[in-house]
């Protein structure tokens, strides 16, 4: 790392040191020894507030990191998610003189570049800010990259890369996997978001895909006033999509608006393969006629055909309530470990589907499933591969927006109807029939080939010439751990007996040396049975359920009930 990066590393470390110490004490009360501590929901919330303050203090890069973390329930518990969602509204704009310098470096004198320019920004983000101007007698929105952000981001990315190995001892295996993918995702996303050439390209491509759709509006790019650091677009006003009272005053059907929003994202992800990946309420607006407006395409992504097909399989399995199909789709996408306990995960998925459908769920059933999950929390098998992280971000944030518009919105029904209209359900039914016919054909062929092979095998048994070879597969190293424990146990036993015999023989020095060695062996044996502890996060499925959990938490503490749950 450079000298600047080293200085920045110590600034970052100082900000996060109290949290790291707290997490270390959760594993061992006195840092190097002691039992684990139980952390209450209120304590996690206080720590989340500390983390929020630290991210704001560290500036734009870490604010963007916090925004990304707010959509990753596989990394942080719900208390942290709830606090970090505040970051989208707490980014102060850069001083106007600095922003003006960026514009004039790219486009020349401001008076020549635009007919008129309002120096008060209408929107501030972690990497850029937006102004309103006049160009060729048209009102335009001008997005300006934050001054000096490039070097700061490069430095902070080095710091994050250097710091990641130091964080691993504080988290569990599942969260360690997610942290690594998050770091890779963040590095890619933040570099792409700073490239306004790329944003303009993605905006045009998505706009072309919805040319004939009158229900949505995507602003056009003004090419002659756009560069890698400046993006000038058509200005489109509207009511923020989360302002439900104002939307009602316009007479817009909020349920239909939510349906349009979900269908647009299904088309982007499942059909087009290119999508707007930042659908928080600040980037969505509604015109008086009900048209849905999209802003800010800095965070956008692509989906390859393999992932598209698996997502379709996933939605079809949900529509059919085919739990095995859901699990198979998750495994094929790399989101679920193949070694997962299918029965536990099946119960979890049943609960998630019931929650998504708004069905009443018995509290004892929730507690039963939570208990099953907590029994395996340190090896919890849900993962987020990098190619799916943005897709999940879209799904969770869109869900939150749709529920804000209509608390009774049925995601599964809308997705099922969309897939049916696109012909996916019919294709799935035909594929199912073709697969069953193929299975019957293979079964008939096998029944014809089986008798001769069976007769040959029985003849070999009769001649005592049948040899059976077996190979033991132990990918998790279970037998290695057992062997290590046996050796350590035997060593400890021998050491203790030797200590006693040497003590009886009045060889105090020898007894002391052997006793010390036995203590070391005992510690190693004890540690081999210890499970790793770190930030404990329960699985979450819907952001709405997560909010409901927080709202109901105070009333449920008396009977220790826990509810399962899942915006930038």
């Amino acid at each position: 790392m450079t000298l600047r990066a080293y200085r920045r590393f110590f600034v970052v470390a100082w900000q996060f040191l109290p949290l790291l110490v707290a997490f270390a004490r959760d594993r061992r009360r006195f840092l190097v020894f002691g039992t684990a501590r139980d952390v209450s929901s209120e304590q996690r919330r206080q720590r989340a507030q500390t983390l929020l303050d630290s991210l704001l203090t560290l500036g734009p890069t870490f604010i963007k990191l916090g925004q990304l973390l707010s959509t990753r329930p596989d990394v942080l518990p719900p208390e942290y998610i709830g606090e970090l969602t505040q970051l989208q509204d707490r980014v102060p704009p850069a001083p106007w003189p600095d922003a003006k310098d960026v514009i004039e470096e790219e486009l020349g004198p401001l008076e020549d570049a635009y007919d008129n320019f309002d120096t008060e920004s209408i929107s501030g983000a972690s990497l850029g800010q937006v102004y309103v101007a006049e160009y060729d007698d048209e009102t335009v929105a001008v997005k300006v990259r934050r001054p000096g952000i490039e070097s700061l981001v490069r430095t902070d990315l080095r710091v994050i890369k250097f710091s990641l190995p130091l964080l691993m001892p504080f988290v569990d295996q599942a969260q360690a996997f997610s942290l690594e993918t998050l770091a890779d995702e963040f590095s890619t996303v933040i570099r792409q978001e700073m490239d306004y050439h790329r944003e303009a390209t993605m905006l045009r491509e998505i706009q072309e895909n919805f040319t004939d759709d009158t229900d949505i509006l995507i602003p056009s790019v003004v090419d002659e006033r756009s560069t890698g650091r400046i993006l000038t677009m058509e200005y489109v006003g509207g009511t923020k999509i989360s302002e439900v009272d104002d939307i009602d005053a316009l007479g817009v059907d909020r349920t239909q608006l939510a349906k349009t929003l979900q269908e647009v994202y299904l088309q982007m992800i499942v059909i087009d393969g290119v999508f707007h990946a930042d659908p928080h309420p600040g980037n969505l607006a509604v015109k008086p006629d009900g048209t849905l407006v999209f802003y800010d395409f800095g965070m956008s992504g692509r989906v390859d055909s393999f992932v598209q097909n698996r997502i379709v399989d996933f939605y079809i399995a949900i529509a059919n309530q085919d739990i095995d199909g859901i699990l198979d789709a998750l495994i094929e996408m790399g989101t679920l470990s193949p070694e997962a306990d299918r029965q536990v995960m099946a119960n979890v998925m049943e609960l998630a589907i019931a929650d998504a459908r708004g069905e009443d769920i018995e509290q004892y059933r929730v507690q039963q499933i939570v208990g099953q999950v907590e029994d395996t929390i340190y090896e919890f098998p849900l993962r987020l591969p990098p190619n799916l992280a943005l897709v999940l971000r879209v799904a969770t944030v869109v869900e939150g927006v749709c529920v804000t518009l209509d608390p009774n919105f049925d995601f599964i029904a809308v997705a099922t109807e969309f897939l049916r209209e696109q012909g996916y359900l019919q294709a799935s039914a035909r594929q199912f029939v073709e697969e069953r016919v193929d299975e019957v054909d293979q079964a008939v062929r096998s029944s014809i080939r089986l008798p001769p092979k069976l007769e040959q095998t029985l003849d070999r048994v009769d001649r005592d010439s049948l040899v059976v070879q077996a190979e033991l597969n132990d990918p998790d190293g279970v037998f290695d751990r057992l062997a290590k424990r046996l050796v350590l146990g035997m060593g400890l036993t021998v050491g203790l007996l030797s200590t006693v015999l040497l003590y009886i023989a009045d060889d105090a020095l020898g007894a002391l040396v052997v006793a010390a060695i036995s203590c070391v062996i005992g510690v190693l044996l004890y540690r081999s049975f210890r499970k790793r502890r770190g930030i404990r996060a329960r699985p979450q499925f819907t952001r709405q359920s997560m909010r409901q959990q927080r709202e109901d938490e105070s009333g449920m503490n008396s009977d220790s009930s826990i509810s399962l749950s899942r915006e930038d």
Side-chain angles (χ1 to χ4, degrees):
M1 293 198 299
T2 64
L3 181 60
R4 180 182 179 181
Y6 276 113
R7 290 199 303 266
R8 183 66 170 168
F9 171 78
F10 285 110
V11 172
V12 172
W14 179 256
Q15 284 292 328
F16 291 141
L17 184 60
L19 280 174
L20 294 178
V21 171
F23 293 147
R25 292 192 62 200
D26 291 346
R27 300 179 61 195
R28 292 188 176 90
R29 187 177 299 272
F30 303 105
L31 296 180
V32 295
F33 64 92
T35 59
R37 300 192 303 178
D38 291 327
V39 182
S40 68
S41 177
E42 182 57 33
Q43 287 175 308
R44 284 194 293 267
R45 186 170 289 107
Q46 291 174 356
R47 292 180 184 179
Q49 292 170 352
T50 301
L51 176 60
L52 178 65
D53 293 338
S54 296
L55 294 173
L56 288 169
T57 301
L58 290 170
T61 310
F62 285 88
I63 290 174
K64 174 57 66 176
L65 178 60
Q67 292 172 347
L68 200 59
L69 281 168
S70 71
T71 64
R72 295 296 297 265
D74 59 319
V75 176
L76 293 175
E79 293 84 359
Y80 290 79
I81 302 294
E83 290 295 327
L84 295 181
T85 53
Q86 303 177 39
L87 283 170
Q88 69 179 56
D89 298 320
R90 297 181 61 178
V91 185
W96 162 244
D98 295 338
K100 181 182 179 181
D101 290 343
V102 174
I103 297 174
E104 294 189 335
E105 286 173 8
E106 295 292 312
L107 302 175
L110 185 66
E111 297 77 11
D112 297 337
Y114 299 96
D115 301 330
N116 188 32
F117 203 101
D118 187 348
T119 59
E120 291 291 329
S121 65
I122 61 171
S123 175
S126 55
L127 303 179
Q129 50 209 44
V130 182
Y131 299 86
V132 176
E134 297 290 332
Y135 176 73
D136 277 355
D137 298 325
E138 298 288 340
T139 304
V140 294
V142 183
K143 186 176 180 181
V144 183
R145 189 192 296 173
R146 277 185 175 267
I149 192 66
E150 300 92 338
S151 60
L152 179 61
V153 166
R154 283 196 299 269
T155 299
D156 286 343
L157 288 177
R158 291 192 188 101
V159 171
I160 291 171
K161 182 178 180 180
F162 182 77
S163 303
L164 196 60
L166 304 179
L167 294 176
M168 293 308 176
F170 299 96
V171 299
D172 301 318
Q173 184 177 0
Q175 281 73 46
F177 176 89
S178 295
L179 272 178
E180 291 174 348
T181 61
L182 175 69
D184 294 337
E185 175 197 357
F186 178 65
S187 177
T188 301
V189 166
I190 198 168
R191 294 180 188 276
Q192 290 178 347
E193 196 167 346
M194 288 194 302
D195 183 359
Y196 289 175
H197 282 311
R198 179 186 181 275
E199 180 175 349
T201 299
M202 300 293 280
L203 189 155
R204 292 191 200 94
E205 186 172 346
I206 295 173
Q207 186 182 48
E208 290 174 1
N209 292 333
F210 290 92
T211 301
D212 300 326
D213 194 331
T214 59
D215 292 329
I216 73 166
L217 179 60
I218 298 174
S220 300
V221 176
V222 181
D223 292 314
E224 58 270 26
R225 287 296 178 267
S226 298
T227 69
R229 301 168 68 194
I230 305 292
L231 180 60
T232 304
M233 301 162 286
E234 169 191 9
Y235 177 80
V236 181
T239 301
K240 190 175 178 180
I241 199 168
S242 58
E243 303 293 341
V244 293
D245 292 337
D246 294 338
I247 293 175
D248 288 338
L250 295 173
V252 175
D253 186 339
R254 287 193 276 121
T255 300
Q256 180 59 42
L257 191 62
K259 180 180 178 182
T260 299
L261 179 62
Q262 187 183 4
E263 288 180 343
V264 165
Y265 273 98
L266 285 170
Q267 177 178 331
M268 288 181 186
I269 293 171
V270 173
I271 298 176
D272 300 334
V274 56
F275 61 98
H276 175 267
D278 199 12
H280 71 74
N283 289 336
L284 299 170
V286 184
K287 291 177 68 64
D289 62 356
T291 302
L292 186 60
V293 183
F294 289 76
Y295 304 124
D296 193 354
F297 287 75
M299 190 176 293
S300 51
R302 298 185 183 276
V303 188
D304 60 47
S305 58
F306 175 81
V307 174
Q308 284 179 305
N309 292 333
R310 300 294 77 75
I311 292 174
V312 170
D313 292 342
F314 178 75
Y315 275 115
I316 291 174
I318 291 178
N320 297 328
Q321 298 193 38
D322 177 6
I323 302 300
D324 284 332
I326 294 174
L327 298 180
D328 289 341
L330 291 174
I331 290 173
E332 290 184 24
M333 285 190 289
T335 305
L336 182 66
S337 170
E339 287 79 26
D341 187 324
R342 288 185 72 95
Q343 185 56 52
V344 172
M345 295 309 301
N347 291 336
V348 170
M349 291 304 162
E350 287 177 357
L351 186 64
I353 292 174
D355 173 69
R357 290 186 178 275
E359 300 174 4
D360 292 331
I361 308 171
E362 299 88 345
Q363 187 62 34
Y364 82 89
R365 178 65 172 156
V366 174
Q367 292 174 331
Q368 180 186 36
I369 295 176
V370 169
Q372 290 178 323
V373 171
E374 287 186 330
D375 287 342
T376 58
I377 192 67
Y378 296 106
E379 295 89 24
F380 198 67
L382 292 178
R383 307 287 190 266
L384 277 184
N387 61 338
L388 285 175
L390 278 180
V391 174
L392 178 70
R393 171 195 176 83
V394 166
T396 55
V397 178
V398 167
E399 178 193 356
V401 175
C402 288
V403 170
T404 300
L405 292 169
D406 179 7
N408 299 316
F409 188 72
D410 192 335
F411 305 94
I412 296 177
V414 173
T416 302
E417 182 60 27
F418 177 85
L419 293 174
R420 181 178 291 111
E421 291 175 354
Q422 299 298 325
Y424 287 107
L425 292 181
Q426 295 87 329
S428 175
R430 288 195 298 271
Q431 181 182 2
F432 178 81
V433 173
E434 291 171 356
E435 289 175 351
R436 300 294 82 76
V437 170
D438 186 56
E439 287 177 0
V440 171
D441 179 64
Q442 291 182 13
V444 171
R445 294 174 182 271
S446 297
S447 65
I448 296 173
R449 294 193 299 264
L450 181 61
K453 292 184 177 181
L454 181 60
E455 184 176 0
Q456 293 174 9
T457 302
L458 292 174
D459 287 342
R460 295 185 66 180
V461 171
D462 187 51
R463 295 194 301 269
D464 294 331
S465 61
L466 181 67
V467 178
V468 178
Q469 292 182 336
E471 181 180 349
L472 184 62
N473 186 21
D474 184 26
D476 296 326
V478 174
F479 286 97
D480 286 341
R481 290 198 298 271
L482 287 175
K484 178 181 178 181
R485 290 170 183 173
L486 284 172
V487 171
L488 290 173
M490 293 173 61
L492 181 60
T493 302
V494 172
L496 292 175
L497 289 174
S498 300
T499 300
V500 173
L501 293 174
L502 289 170
Y503 182 77
I504 294 174
D506 291 330
D507 188 351
L509 180 60
L512 183 61
V513 171
V514 176
I517 295 173
S518 300
C519 288
V520 173
I521 295 174
V523 170
L524 293 174
L525 182 61
Y526 171 76
R527 291 183 59 136
S528 72
F529 285 95
R530 292 278 292 176
K531 289 184 177 180
R532 297 179 62 189
R533 298 179 180 270
I535 302 174
R536 305 187 63 166
R538 292 186 176 87
Q540 301 139 59
F541 302 99
T542 65
R543 299 296 301 278
Q544 178 63 16
S545 298
M546 186 175 68
R547 296 192 193 98
Q548 189 63 42
Q549 176 189 348
R550 292 200 301 269
E551 293 170 1
D552 296 344
E553 194 171 46
S554 58
M556 296 169 64
N557 282 341
S558 58
D559 57 0
S560 299
S561 298
I562 303 175
S563 175
L564 280 180
S565 55
R566 269 196 335 212
E567 179 177 282
D568 179 0

